[in-house]
Amino acid sequence: MSADVRQVADGTYLVHGGNTNWVVLTDGDAVTLVDTGYPGDRRALLDSLAAVGSSPEAVAAVLITHAHNDHLGSAEYLRAAHGTPVLLHEAEVPHARRDFLQQVSVGTVLRNAWRPGVLPWTVHVLRTGGTEQHPVTAPAAFPVDGALDLPGRPVPVHTPGHTDGHCVYHLPDAGVVISGDALVSGHAISRVEGPQLLPDLFHHDRTRAVASLDVIAGLEGDLLLPGHGPVHRGPVKDAAARARERAF
């Protein structure tokens, strides 16, 4: 699979991988990488870095929204091969180490196999290594509060629910919110398009996931870069409100 790299703002690229997105933030040839796709997306991930004029060696840090297999896929590879720091919210650090797993179970997927799109999605997950475990040996919590001293100057914002330590990343100057799986614009098994929560089976704590939409609504911006689905343009607060409406 080739990388679908789309520049959405100055120094900001949304990459559509195998049903999962990641984001590249550039500063010269140095980059911040937000999420890494499935394990099977590695070639596409490396191609996306080349497409923006960078390389794995130039990745200043990997920021993870949450430690599900479709976002964590190549984080340990980059850490082990290139010494790249892998940073997450402190509550997500043990999840990245696989001290525990807050991810939809095989049994839950099978019980939902009758739903439209679930079987094709499951086949894709298996083909891209989505059931493999690639724990990060030495993940780290963010070193400071507020903006990180990395390309893009991203600000982590804790948005628990999908997992306990899920974070979105706010780029205040650019008006961008990288929302991971706390707020998406589509999914392979969703029957609707536009701002929404993921289907319920994917959330560790749906009540907290809904509450986190209010946190996202408080972030200034008009460009939403989700973990699944296309870029969404328009006030982020309106996108969060629409997702909340659809959640009930």
Side-chain angles (χ1 to χ4, degrees):
M1 186 199 73
S2 60
D4 178 7
V5 182
R6 304 191 182 196
Q7 184 169 6
V8 293
D10 289 344
T12 305
Y13 300 82
L14 180 65
V15 186
H16 298 285
N19 283 350
T20 304
N21 304 332
W22 57 89
V23 175
V24 183
L25 306 175
T26 64
D27 183 358
D29 66 348
V31 304
T32 301
L33 183 60
V34 183
D35 289 341
T36 66
Y38 282 101
D41 287 333
R42 184 171 302 162
R43 183 70 263 163
L45 179 76
L46 299 177
D47 288 348
S48 72
L49 294 174
V52 303
S54 190
S55 66
E57 295 82 2
V59 178
V62 174
L63 304 181
I64 299 296
T65 58
H66 65 292
H68 282 167
N69 293 347
D70 58 332
H71 296 259
L72 197 67
S74 288
E76 174 62 12
Y77 163 77
L78 291 168
R79 190 206 65 79
H82 302 287
T84 313
V86 179
L87 305 178
L88 313 89
H89 187 272
E90 61 182 358
E92 201 72 1
V93 167
H95 194 196
R97 287 196 303 255
R98 288 298 181 259
D99 296 354
F100 54 81
L101 184 61
Q102 295 179 342
Q103 187 157 306
V104 63
S105 68
V106 172
T108 298
V109 171
L110 291 176
R111 286 193 297 274
N112 285 270
W114 60 273
R115 296 179 182 275
V118 170
L119 285 178
W121 171 79
T122 302
V123 171
H124 177 84
V125 168
L126 294 172
R127 286 177 174 171
T128 52
T131 58
E132 302 171 6
Q133 298 299 332
H134 294 268
V136 180
T137 303
F142 307 121
V144 295
D145 292 330
L148 301 174
D149 187 17
L150 295 169
R153 301 283 295 169
V155 180
V157 180
H158 188 207
T159 47
H162 186 63
T163 65
D164 286 346
H166 189 289
C167 268
V168 305
Y169 296 95
H170 187 205
L171 282 58
D173 293 343
V176 171
V177 175
I178 303 168
S179 58
D181 284 6
L183 174 58
V184 302
S185 61
H187 189 271
I189 76 167
S190 174
R191 300 298 94 186
V192 298
E193 298 178 352
Q196 60 190 281
L197 286 177
L198 284 172
D200 290 353
L201 73 160
F202 293 119
H203 296 300
H204 179 66
D205 186 333
R206 184 184 186 276
T207 299
R208 294 181 81 193
V210 172
S212 284
L213 291 172
D214 291 339
V215 177
I216 296 172
L219 302 176
E220 290 294 327
D222 55 10
L223 193 62
L224 185 76
L225 308 184
H228 302 273
V231 59
H232 179 80
R233 299 181 185 275
V236 169
K237 64 180 180 180
D238 291 351
R242 179 63 175 138
R244 177 177 266 281
E245 290 171 2
R246 284 174 157 168
F248 295 101

